[in-house]
Amino acid sequence: MRDNDSAITPTAIAVSGGPASGTASGPPGHTVGDGPDTGPAGTADHAPADGPAGAAHSASTTRGTAFAALGVAAFSLTFPTTAWALEGMGPWTAVMLRLVLAATIAGGALAVCRVRPPERRHWAGLAVVAGGVVLGFPLLTTLALRTSTTSHAAVVVGLLPLTTAAFGALRTGTRPSRTFWFASLAGAAIVIGFAVQQSGGAPSTGDLYLFAALLVCAAGYTEGGRLAREMPGWQVIGWALVLALPITVVGSVAALATEPLHLTAHAVGGLLWLAIGSQFLGMVVWYRGMADIGVAKASQIQLAQPLLTMVWAVLLLGEHLPPTAAAAALAVLVCIAVTQRTRG
């Protein structure tokens, strides 16, 4: 991870210009219609099918999809490992120590690679990432898991792809096709129905935490995906973690002074995965994938995350997997396939 490493291939970097730049540009609110989907910086989600440009785009799309899928796999372990961490520490301790450890790793990588601080124009976006995916989402979901089961929380957060796609459309002014939105809404309806079937239709305090987490995380994902077109994805999450470090250090001291701490094997293992896997490495590959294939399409791969999380809940926590899980998994995967093939 050198300073000049790019999160995306040179042909995918969002730069101003016309046809020669390989980007599609337009004013805010530009309607794509039946043309190509555009990503966070106005970059077309697909290139001509023929010739070197088409081959390069196909390779970039395949690589981006693989990176995004790796991120989803890492995130699918977040709730089960959070449950492990909560076996030995309070929610505030788990969140703050997780963030301090992740920031230490990220800050060390930035220092070793001698990465220059971001330009002034990037700091506002990094603050959104820090508030959404560094502070907001981990804290809100950890508080929710005090009363919600891992599987229940997973299906509620299954709405994240739709909220991320909506934030992306609002932030960039692009409009994915109707087919894309129909498939996204179908996937969202599946996970909502699954959640209602599990909870009996009665929202709890944990659900309110989870819905708030959806909003702040979607904003952080969208802004991070936009920034990952202008700097390597590992630097996006790295600087966001460093930016939040003063808050997380103070929070860690306060949490350790007020909450009990019992360092069991589960608690330590869960905390380490949360810091290394979920908070840093998972975000690195996730933002890399978003930079290659765009916020909207990457977000739909995350429709598979609730089902993956439920599998981990069974294997790691011994939770009972509902009999409707297989049908829901198949239906969600169909929705993912439709959104990935949509041409905008």
Side-chain angles (χ1 to χ4, degrees), residues 183 186-191 303-304 307 324-338:
I190 291 169
V191 296
L303 280 169
L307 287 308
T324 54
L330 178 61
V332 168
L333 289 176
V334 170
C335 293
I336 294 173
V338 172

Side-chain angles (χ1 to χ4, degrees), residues 108-192:
L110 292 169
V112 168
C113 297
R114 299 180 180 179
V115 178
R116 293 185 296 273
E119 299 176 22
R120 181 179 299 179
R121 62 192 178 93
H122 293 322
W123 282 108
L126 288 170
V128 175
V129 176
V133 302
V134 173
L135 293 169
F137 186 79
L139 179 58
L140 290 167
T141 53
T142 301
L143 292 173
L145 284 171
R146 293 182 304 168
T147 56
S148 296
T149 64
T150 298
S151 57
H152 178 80
V155 291
V156 174
V157 175
L159 294 175
L160 184 57
L162 182 60
T163 53
T164 301
F167 267 88
L170 292 173
R171 180 68 177 85
T172 65
T174 59
R175 298 180 184 177
S177 70
R178 291 180 179 178
T179 302
F180 178 94
W181 285 114
F182 285 152
S184 299
L185 289 171
I190 291 169
V191 296
I192 289 174

